[in-house]
Amino acid sequence: MAAAVNGTAPIEPPSELYQGRRAALPLDIVVVGCGLGGLAAAFCLAMAGHKVTILESVATIGEIGAGIFVSPNVTRLLIRWGLETRLREVAVKPKALNVRRWCTGETLSWTQWDDLMAKKYGAPPYHVHRADLHRMLYDLAEPHVNIRTNCRVVSMNPSIPTLMLKSGEVVHADLVIGADGSKSTARHFVVGKPDEPRFTGDTAYRAVLPTKALLADPDLRGLVETPEMTMWLGPERHIVAYNIVRTSLSLSSPAFPPGRIENRTKEEYNIGMCYTDRDPPEEFWRIGESADKMKEEFVGWEPRIQKLLSLIPSTLKWKLMDSAPLETWIHEDGKLALLGDACHPMLPYVGQGAAMAVSPTDFFTSFWLISSLPRNFSKLNLTGGQIEDAAVLGNLFSRLSSRTQIASLLHAYEAIRYERATNTQAFSRLSKATLHLPDGLEQEQRDRKMRAAMEDALKKAGGEVVVSGADTNTKGNTDHWDNEKRDAIQFGYDADEEAEKWWHQRGESEIGPLRVPSTL
């Protein structure tokens, strides 16, 4: 497990991004929302040469959430932004993904991660607490942007654009980025009407336990001593758990009041539980929910689960909400664009929300899961997200030299990001069925595929030659090779490279000629 320290390693921001480019025409840009995606977008746009203001509705930014899986496609960007030292300080590098059966604890699939993933994809995976990642991005962005809290946006005119705050203040901008989450106000103006997320029928619980409680129990000790992501699959339910590091930050900025998260335990165990919920929808989420109802949902699960749940006094509970893919993320007048969960909210079955914008969600997929899906998903772009959205926006807007280019650059952002993000939304919905299969024939077939793929992977790791086959006896091999390709699409993705490639293939000829004299 990573050493637990105070989480204050200096950030080493890059001297330049985007090959040294900065926009010839700086814009006044307003980002709505100071979450992970909003902070990332604000930083990238500021590095591209723009004046950026974040409007956040709450007066103080609280410590909401628990663990996040940060996959290589995200860590490569965080490292590029100067966060490598801080990441190493507050994160745990998982050694493997271990998938188990709900009632027996039998391993169905084991996939090595650790340094192997870094060698394959050029960046390591990490588990990190959402509060630490949020603070990291806040510290990164704050010197370069104006962060205004207690500024709730209640209306806007996207054509000008202007934003009306609850206080009555009108904020003017050249460009607005809506990064205000799945219950986005900005999305209403892009869609043209209220567009509320809908309840999926699933509810999730989150809890964080001190690892000392697990180390004191011989049956639970191994969950801490070997830092794997462990997942249990059961009928209409699943659980995912892993180690995280909690830092003792001394917070002093207005957005993070002093003492808010001081004296936290430094090593903890994150547990996420998801189940099919037949109760009527209530609040979107609750803090301090009694653990009794949670425990009822997992009666009969293997002994280690019962021991883990017995250690949880209260939990965070939230209803999983979803939205249909939008036809567009860009307002018709080309001065308002959406980012992250505001335009492509992710259910926690795939765990690429943090990649997509960066947003808090766990990583719930690997080759064993994808192998159960139709072959026409072989080209699915399984990752993306708020961080990737932010990187693409910053890269493209580093090229701005004329107001006539604004709308075109926004549509370029959408062209680069839309298919990858929308496919991930679709995949996350399909993943639920595979994760939550009832015991029976389909579940047995899924488990056999997972075991076969695991055996192939272990043979390959041991130096054996594994040959792909097409008949049912070698089905595991076929799935394994197909999913290695999919993993490369997932984890090998570089948002900056995609933006550069798009510009050289299309942008230079389509948007470059729009460079004309422009006045502020």
Side-chain angles (χ1 to χ4, degrees):
M1 182 178 297
V5 288
N6 65 5
T8 56
I11 290 174
E12 303 165 0
S15 58
E16 59 182 36
L17 284 177
Y18 319 126
Q19 301 177 8
R21 288 190 310 273
R22 291 178 69 86
L25 175 66
L27 299 178
D28 283 322
I29 301 176
V30 167
V31 175
V32 183
C34 193
L36 302 174
L39 287 167
F43 169 75
C44 289
L45 289 165
M47 291 297 96
H50 301 286
K51 180 183 177 182
V52 184
T53 298
I54 296 177
L55 300 179
E56 169 55 46
S57 62
V58 301
T60 57
I61 300 170
E63 183 194 359
I64 299 297
I68 300 176
F69 177 81
V70 185
S71 52
N73 48 304
V74 179
T75 55
R76 84 172 77 257
L77 295 172
L78 299 178
I79 290 168
R80 188 173 294 156
W81 298 346
L83 294 172
E84 183 171 15
T85 302
R86 183 76 72 89
L87 267 174
R88 288 178 176 173
E89 189 181 53
V90 303
V92 174
K93 187 184 294 183
K95 290 185 177 298
L97 171 64
N98 193 337
V99 185
R100 298 181 178 274
R101 181 141 165 76
W102 68 280
C103 53
T104 63
E106 170 200 2
T107 293
L108 302 174
S109 175
W110 186 89
T111 309
Q112 183 181 357
W113 283 351
D114 205 2
D115 294 331
L116 181 63
M117 193 174 279
K119 290 177 182 177
K120 276 188 174 182
Y121 308 115
Y126 285 118
H127 287 141
V128 62
H129 193 282
R130 183 188 185 279
D132 289 330
L133 181 58
H134 194 198
R135 179 63 201 223
M136 199 185 306
L137 287 170
Y138 183 93
D139 289 346
L140 179 70
E142 193 268 342
H144 309 285
V145 307
N146 179 22
I147 300 175
R148 298 183 56 189
T149 56
N150 200 24
C151 290
R152 181 177 295 278
V153 176
V154 294
S155 184
M156 64 177 69
N157 183 335
S159 301
I160 299 177
T162 56
L163 305 95
M164 172 73 77
L165 305 185
K166 185 178 180 181
S167 65
E169 179 186 355
V170 176
V171 178
H172 294 260
D174 298 314
L175 172 64
V176 177
I177 304 298
D180 47 344
S182 59
K183 301 185 81 171
S184 169
T185 297
R187 184 171 66 236
H188 298 172
F189 293 92
V190 171
V191 174
K193 60 182 179 181
D195 183 52
E196 298 295 336
R198 59 183 182 273
F199 179 46
T200 62
D202 278 1
T203 291
Y205 290 103
R206 284 300 252 310
V208 179
L209 296 172
T211 55
K212 63 182 180 182
L214 281 70
L215 289 169
D217 188 318
D219 293 332
L220 302 180
R221 178 185 295 271
L223 297 175
V224 176
E225 292 179 335
T226 303
E228 298 176 333
M229 177 182 284
T230 305
M231 189 173 189
W232 289 264
L233 303 187
E236 297 187 334
R237 289 156 178 76
H238 73 271
I239 295 176
V240 65
Y242 49 82
N243 294 279
I244 55 175
V245 173
R246 301 291 297 280
T247 58
S248 298
L249 295 177
S250 177
L251 305 180
S252 57
S253 74
F256 291 88
R260 185 63 179 264
I261 54 177
E262 290 179 350
N263 303 317
R264 299 184 300 182
T265 55
K266 292 184 174 68
E267 294 183 353
E268 296 186 332
Y269 197 67
N270 180 78
I271 307 173
M273 296 146 279
C274 184
Y275 71 97
T276 299
D277 188 353
R278 292 178 174 81
D279 293 337
E282 302 166 345
E283 297 99 324
F284 184 60
W285 52 268
R286 291 184 190 172
I287 298 175
E289 178 80 0
S290 168
D292 292 340
K293 177 68 166 60
M294 173 197 71
K295 293 171 185 175
E296 291 174 7
E297 294 296 337
F298 295 92
V299 170
W301 284 51
E302 67 135 314
R304 281 174 297 184
I305 294 297
Q306 300 309 314
K307 286 190 173 187
L308 286 171
L309 299 188
S310 72
L311 298 172
I312 301 173
S314 64
T315 182
L316 168 67
K317 174 184 178 181
W318 83 98
K319 302 285 186 179
L320 299 184
M321 311 299 284
D322 194 17
S323 297
L326 301 181
E327 292 184 7
T328 182
W329 302 346
I330 316 299
H331 184 268
E332 61 185 358
D333 290 328
K335 298 176 183 178
L336 166 64
L338 304 177
L339 177 146
D341 280 356
C343 52
H344 51 75
M346 298 294 156
L347 292 170
Y349 306 121
V350 174
Q352 283 295 327
M356 294 320 251
V358 182
S359 89
T361 179
D362 295 309
F363 176 79
F364 290 145
T365 185
S366 190
F367 63 83
W368 50 267
L369 174 57
I370 308 168
S371 66
S372 299
L373 296 179
R375 290 290 175 180
N376 60 357
F377 276 79
S378 62
K379 294 185 179 179
L380 257 183
N381 295 320
L382 295 174
T383 65
Q386 303 180 62
I387 288 276
E388 293 178 351
D389 288 353
V392 169
L393 267 179
N395 194 303
L396 289 172
F397 273 83
S398 70
R399 299 181 181 276
L400 185 80
S401 59
S402 167
R403 291 180 182 275
T404 59
Q405 296 173 319
I406 295 174
S408 297
L409 287 173
L410 290 180
H411 286 289
Y413 152 69
E414 183 182 67
I416 294 167
R417 299 291 306 136
Y418 186 88
E419 182 180 5
R420 181 174 171 86
T422 303
N423 281 343
T424 306
Q425 280 186 288
F427 179 71
S428 66
R429 297 184 189 105
L430 286 172
S431 299
K432 171 186 172 179
T434 302
L435 291 171
H436 290 184
L437 285 175
D439 284 350
L441 181 61
E442 285 186 273
Q443 164 262 320
E444 291 171 359
Q445 291 174 339
R446 177 200 67 190
D447 293 357
R448 279 197 297 270
K449 287 183 182 180
M450 291 164 63
R451 291 189 192 97
M454 174 176 63
E455 290 170 4
D456 290 345
L458 291 173
K459 288 177 183 177
K460 185 182 177 187
E464 294 186 41
V465 177
V466 181
V467 181
S468 174
D471 58 48
T472 56
N473 293 326
T474 56
K475 185 64 165 62
N477 296 339
T478 305
D479 291 330
H480 171 64
W481 292 115
D482 283 352
N483 289 305
E484 279 201 343
K485 296 176 183 177
R486 296 184 182 106
D487 280 353
I489 293 173
Q490 266 185 293
F491 302 132
Y493 185 91
D494 187 319
D496 281 317
E497 285 187 3
E498 293 300 315
E500 293 287 337
K501 182 170 67 176
W502 188 93
W503 179 263
H504 293 300
Q505 290 177 349
R506 293 182 54 187
E508 207 157 25
S509 59
E510 296 177 11
I511 299 177
L514 297 177
R515 301 184 187 99
V516 296
S518 178
T519 58
L520 292 172

